[in-house]
Amino acid sequence: MGTIAGSKVPVFTGIAEIGADQIKQLGAALASSGAVALFHVVGITPEAPTVEAAFGGRKPEQVLEFGAKELREAKARLNKHAGQPVSLVCIGCPHCSIWEIAQIARGVAGKKLKPGVDLWITTALPMRALAERCGYSKIIEEAGGRFVIDTCPILSPMAE
C-alpha cells in the first residue's frame, strides 16, 4: 500500500480489530514501502470515526480492494531470495514492544538457532529491561539471539 500511496494519506476500512503493535507495524510498512507519514483506519484512529470524517467530506481519489490474491502477490514481490540460506533475522524496526518480545521468546523457547544464523531483536532500553525482568531476554539469548538497543539497523548499519 505504501508503494501505491506514495506520500498521500491512505484510509483503511474493514479492519475490525487492531492493536497498538499492529498500528505501529502498519505505519512502518507504509513508510518503508512509500513515503506515507499519516494514515487512517476507520473506526480505530481518532481522526477517522467514519469514512466521511477520514476524507473530510471529499471523495477518495482511488479505491482499492485487498484480499487473499493481493496478499499472495505482495508476498511474492517481497520474497526476492526464496530458497537461499538465511544468515540474519532482524526483528523490531520499529522497536519491539514487550508483547512482541514475549512472542519471540515463546517461539524460540527450548530451541537453538542454526549455526551461521543471527537473530537480532531491536528495542528500546526500557523494553530490554522489562524483557529481562520477565525472563524473555534469557530465553532469547539462550537460543542464540541478541538484543540491539536504541538504534535501527536500517538507519545506522552495524557490523560486528
Side-chain angles (χ1 to χ4, degrees):
M1 185 62 219
T3 302
I4 295 167
S7 61
K8 294 179 182 168
V9 179
V11 175
F12 295 90
T13 61
I15 299 176
E17 292 185 29
I18 188 168
D21 281 324
Q22 291 81 26
I23 289 276
K24 175 185 74 168
Q25 293 162 356
L26 177 57
L30 290 167
S32 63
S33 63
V36 175
L38 175 67
F39 64 94
H40 301 294
V41 180
V42 174
I44 305 291
T45 54
E47 305 85 1
T50 65
V51 172
E52 295 74 23
F55 285 103
R58 297 182 309 271
K59 291 192 179 226
E61 292 177 19
Q62 185 178 16
V63 176
L64 302 171
E65 295 285 330
F66 188 89
K69 175 183 174 253
E70 291 78 13
L71 180 60
R72 279 191 307 277
E73 291 170 355
K75 284 181 177 180
R77 274 194 312 276
L78 293 170
N79 193 2
K80 297 175 184 168
H81 303 288
Q84 295 182 17
V86 173
S87 60
L88 173 65
V89 176
C90 182
I91 303 172
C93 190
H95 290 337
C96 279
S97 68
I98 194 63
W99 180 82
E100 291 166 317
I101 294 169
Q103 282 189 302
I104 295 163
R106 281 191 291 277
V108 300
K111 300 175 184 173
K112 289 284 185 191
L113 293 175
K114 182 178 176 181
V117 176
D118 287 326
L119 170 63
W120 292 359
I121 310 302
T122 62
T123 194
L125 185 58
M127 287 301 108
R128 170 68 159 107
L130 185 54
E132 283 184 29
R133 291 185 66 187
C134 294
Y136 302 142
S137 57
K138 182 178 182 196
I139 294 168
I140 291 168
E141 289 166 349
E142 284 177 352
R146 71 175 67 178
F147 284 82
V148 179
I149 307 302
D150 288 340
T151 191
C152 176
I154 291 174
L155 297 177
S156 72
M158 296 175 283
E160 288 189 351

